[in-house]
């Protein structure tokens, strides 16, 4: 679907000459890439990039949810119908509501390492973003630094949810 839209975004743009910087050491062409791209970003190219980013985001959310379910539920569940007291808050269990499955938090070493690495990368990208924002040298990497910072925060949240929060299935009787 994106290939025809990308073609139309390339064809719909006005012909502009590419930017070429010349110096005595040779010519530098910052727009030369392995994929033909428009010289300036128009509405069509921005739409293609936005749709591609949305597809990637939906895929990342799906696979993050799968990761949390598969890894977080890798240990066996504690069946609560066998009379095991879990010491949970009273609002989770009542006459019409009970816990069907319960997976305790694992507190494992991969979780600690993952939290430490993603926290470190979040701090590094936040510092790079701050330095880029308040510096005078360049401003083209602001989006990359902000995106990587938010991606690190999201990965840290997924890791924390997987290894440090218990998972449960609550069943409710709605016949009354």
């Amino acid at each position: 679907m994106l290939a025809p839209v990308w073609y139309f975004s390339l064809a719909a743009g006005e012909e502009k000459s590419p930017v070429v910087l010349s110096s005595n050491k040779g010519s530098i062409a910052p727009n030369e890439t392995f994929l033909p791209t428009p010289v300036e970003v128009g509405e069509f190219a921005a739409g293609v990039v936005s749709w591609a980013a949305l597809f990637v985001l939906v895929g990342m959310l799906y696979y993050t949810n799968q990761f949390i379910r598969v890894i977080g539920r890798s240990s066996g569940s504690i069946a609560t119908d066998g009379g095991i007291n879990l010491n949970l808050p009273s609002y989770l269990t009542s006459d019409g509501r009970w816990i069907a499955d319960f997976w305790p938090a694992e507190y494992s070493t991969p979780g600690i390492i993952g939290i430490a690495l993603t926290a470190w990368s979040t701090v590094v990208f936040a510092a790079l973003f701050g330095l880029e924002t308040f510096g005078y040298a360049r401003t083209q990497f602001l989006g990359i630094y902000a995106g990587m910072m938010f991606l690190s925060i999201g990965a840290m949240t997924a890791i924390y949810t997987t290894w440090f929060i218990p998972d449960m299935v609550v069943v409710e009787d709605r016949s009354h």
Side-chain angles (χ1 to χ4, degrees):
M1 180 180 103
L2 289 177
V5 178
W6 185 255
Y7 170 75
F8 286 120
S9 71
L10 286 173
E14 300 169 1
E15 286 296 320
K16 303 256 184 188
S17 61
V19 177
V20 176
L21 306 174
S22 296
S23 68
N24 54 3
K25 295 181 182 177
S27 63
I28 300 170
N31 289 340
E32 288 183 0
T33 60
F34 63 94
L35 181 67
T37 58
V39 176
E40 68 179 20
V41 178
E43 308 85 38
F44 299 115
V48 170
V49 170
S50 298
W51 278 105
L54 284 174
F55 288 144
V56 168
L57 180 64
V58 168
M60 286 174 57
L61 287 173
Y62 174 77
Y63 284 111
T64 301
N65 188 22
Q66 289 298 105
F67 173 79
I68 290 171
R69 296 245 181 236
V70 169
I71 302 297
R73 292 182 177 182
S74 63
S75 63
S77 70
I78 299 173
T80 58
D81 58 357
I84 297 172
N85 187 6
L86 298 174
N87 294 328
L88 296 174
S90 61
Y91 60 84
L92 287 176
T93 57
S94 65
D95 292 337
R97 183 183 306 139
W98 62 94
I99 297 174
D101 280 330
F102 182 80
W103 291 269
E106 293 184 10
Y107 305 109
S108 64
T109 304
I112 297 289
I113 292 171
I115 290 287
L117 289 175
T118 54
W120 176 80
S121 67
T122 301
V123 169
V124 166
F125 285 118
L128 287 171
F129 182 80
L131 289 172
E132 191 77 25
T133 301
F134 297 119
Y136 294 112
R138 59 184 188 269
T139 58
Q140 69 263 28
F141 295 118
L142 284 175
I144 293 172
Y145 294 152
M148 293 306 292
M149 179 178 63
F150 289 129
L151 187 64
S152 297
I153 290 171
M156 184 169 34
T157 304
I159 290 170
Y160 183 78
T161 303
T162 302
W163 277 288
F164 298 105
I165 295 179
D167 193 10
M168 65 184 76
V169 175
V170 178
V171 180
E172 188 172 9
D173 182 18
R174 295 189 180 188
S175 62
H176 57 277

